[in-house]
Amino acid sequence: MFSRSFLGSLTKQSCRTFSNTSAQAADYTHVVVGAGAVGLAIARKLAEKDGTSTLLIERHGSVGTETSSRNSEVIHAGIYYGPTSLKTVLCLQGKRMMYDLCENQRIPYRNCKKWILAQDSQQHEQLDKTHRFATSIGVPTHFISLAEARHREPDVYAANAVLESPTTGIIDSHSYMTYLESDFQSKGGDLAFHTKVTAIDTASHGYSIHTTSPSGVSASVTTETLINSAGLAAVPLSNSILPPERHMKSYYAKGSYYSYSCGHPRPKTLIYPAPTTGAAGLGTHLTMDMTGAIRFGPDVEWVDDPNDLSVNEERLSAALDEIQSYLPGVDREKVMLDYAGIRPKLGKGSAVASGKGFSDFYIKKEEGFEGFINLLGIESPGLTSSLAIADKVHDLLYR
């Protein structure tokens, strides 16, 4: 059973008494592992169900400290991922849900729009394909003239074409996750920080989850259903439960971000280069935070260690060259190393569906493991999709 020190880490004043025999009912109806944006959204959704109990386990000391807080904070339109992929379906649904939630709960966001730039005829053809695809799935995009582009953003350079995505925006991801955390707890959910999952066993009641604290104190809890939303640790956790023939491999794409300390140029629109078929990312793009401060990134650097969050200075020169291709007036001396984030991928293939090796979200109720929902490869557009992913997990369990 869970120790007294573990009970002290629960963020609910009145903690349940955990069972210590398999003959009794499980301690919880749902246990969600991983309190990033997606895990928070799932736990919040499951906590709404009457007559159930939900525990959210997080190995760090607060929510959203990994991929969820080390990204571009973009609300994506959903125009890169193919017509039927989970990334498309859940991004489109999640985008609507996110804008509605932000508006209703006063979570800071801005519908600032996005431009995708073509510098030559080949890139223009790629923009044409993106526009046709967006139209086919009901996402508005439109070309604006180069004269209009120069008028609206005089510091941005596009030699050939500009495609505008009017439903793209930005969100204060930290405020969003703080809201999800608070709402989850208000619905009666329990949240355990500084709790690392070390092993999971199947049992008659569902699953026994064994954990340890930073001080080395061991504890365990039982649950009827288990949701693996562990982000960077999701594949190793999955492999610890499933048989070897169903094991998967995780690939870690580190992206470095760069701040800009100069007051000019300072566009008000998100700026993306044309997508490159086969590339693992969408290029070193220009985004901003809610204060209007500009940042650039991410690039893609494959790493073996998911904890390697160092910003690679050797990549700055190449990033500057790409940035200057669309923002020629940028002061290169004012672009500084900022932070890095790591995206959990299921392959080293293309970030867009038209490229080779595109990997979709993996969200499944695992056959032969009743009540086990696996979420793997939840990278971009995971933040945008988070509320829709929560609905999908709920439906997998209860429909």
Side-chain angles (χ1 to χ4, degrees):
M1 61 185 294
F2 271 23
S3 66
R4 183 176 300 277
S5 63
F6 174 85
L7 295 179
S9 73
L10 288 175
T11 57
K12 185 179 177 184
Q13 290 182 350
S14 177
C15 300
R16 67 182 58 248
T17 301
F18 297 112
S19 63
N20 58 9
T21 66
S22 59
Q24 293 178 290
D27 298 319
Y28 283 93
T29 313
H30 321 110
V31 168
V32 181
V33 181
V38 172
L40 282 163
I42 293 168
R44 169 180 173 267
K45 179 67 178 179
L46 296 179
E48 295 175 353
K49 192 166 183 64
D50 292 338
T52 68
S53 55
T54 304
L55 171 65
L56 178 57
I57 295 177
E58 170 55 46
R59 62 179 173 174
H60 298 293
S62 59
V63 301
T65 60
E66 294 184 349
T67 306
S68 295
S69 61
R70 292 175 169 272
N71 59 70
S72 301
E73 298 185 298
V74 171
I75 303 175
H76 289 285
I79 56 177
Y80 294 121
Y81 315 112
T84 60
S85 71
L86 285 177
K87 285 185 176 180
T88 293
V89 172
L90 296 173
C91 184
L92 297 187
Q93 179 186 348
K95 175 181 61 175
R96 293 188 293 268
M97 296 173 73
M98 181 168 279
Y99 276 131
D100 288 345
L101 182 71
C102 288
E103 190 67 27
N104 293 334
Q105 300 299 328
R106 299 183 179 181
I107 299 168
Y109 79 99
R110 187 181 305 147
N111 181 203
C112 53
K113 305 179 182 180
K114 176 174 81 173
W115 287 1
I116 311 171
L117 309 181
Q119 306 296 0
D120 54 39
S121 58
Q122 185 176 2
Q123 290 184 352
H124 195 160
E125 290 177 8
Q126 187 62 50
L127 263 58
D128 283 333
K129 292 178 183 177
T130 301
H131 175 56
R132 288 196 299 270
F133 172 69
T135 301
S136 73
I137 60 172
V139 177
T141 60
H142 56 266
F143 284 96
I144 62 174
S145 69
L146 296 181
E148 181 183 347
R150 285 191 293 270
H151 174 72
R152 288 171 54 184
E153 295 285 7
D155 297 309
V156 174
Y157 176 73
N160 200 286
V162 176
L163 181 66
E164 182 169 79
S165 169
T167 62
T168 303
I170 56 174
I171 184 172
D172 182 339
S173 63
H174 299 276
S175 295
Y176 171 63
M177 290 187 286
T178 297
Y179 168 78
L180 294 180
E181 178 185 3
S182 176
D183 200 42
F184 166 62
Q185 292 176 270
S186 74
K187 298 179 190 310
D190 288 339
L191 209 167
F193 291 118
H194 295 299
T195 304
K196 182 179 180 180
V197 175
T198 55
I200 297 177
D201 300 322
T202 57
S204 58
H205 50 252
Y207 299 90
S208 293
I209 303 171
H210 307 283
T211 69
T212 186
S213 71
S215 62
V217 176
S218 298
S220 61
V221 65
T222 58
T223 180
E224 296 174 21
T225 61
L226 171 66
I227 295 87
N228 176 16
S229 184
L232 296 172
V235 167
L237 183 63
S238 172
N239 291 347
S240 74
I241 300 170
L242 299 179
E245 62 271 18
R246 291 164 66 176
H247 286 186
M248 301 184 75
K249 180 176 173 58
S250 190
Y251 299 84
Y252 303 111
K254 181 166 74 171
S256 292
Y257 290 83
Y258 310 95
S259 62
Y260 188 54
S261 60
C262 188
H264 182 84
R266 194 171 287 268
K268 296 179 174 60
T269 309
L270 305 182
I271 307 297
Y272 280 58
T276 301
T277 300
L282 298 177
T284 303
H285 41 268
L286 180 155
T287 61
M288 69 280 298
D289 62 19
M290 294 305 302
T291 69
I294 284 176
R295 59 190 166 204
F296 302 102
D299 55 11
V300 175
E301 177 185 1
W302 296 107
V303 296
D304 296 324
D305 181 3
N307 300 307
D308 176 11
L309 294 173
S310 60
V311 183
N312 190 343
E313 187 172 4
E314 294 179 358
R315 305 180 71 86
L316 178 57
S317 178
L320 284 170
D321 290 343
E322 185 170 13
I323 293 164
Q324 202 158 31
S325 71
Y326 60 77
L327 199 68
V330 67
D331 185 340
R332 294 173 69 103
E333 298 299 320
K334 301 291 183 165
V335 179
M336 311 296 290
L337 305 180
D338 195 358
Y339 65 95
I342 296 182
R343 289 154 280 177
K345 290 177 174 283
L346 297 178
K348 292 187 176 182
S350 175
V352 299
S354 59
K356 183 178 180 181
F358 170 76
S359 294
D360 200 3
F361 291 153
Y362 181 105
I363 305 174
K364 291 184 179 180
K365 189 174 185 179
E366 293 290 359
E367 184 179 354
F369 292 80
E370 184 65 28
F372 177 35
I373 307 294
N374 224 354
L375 294 93
L376 309 177
I378 308 300
E379 49 151 341
S380 183
L383 177 64
T384 306
S385 306
S386 54
L387 296 172
I389 291 174
D391 280 2
K392 181 172 180 61
V393 170
H394 175 273
D395 291 348
L396 285 172
L397 287 174
Y398 292 109
R399 286 190 182 177

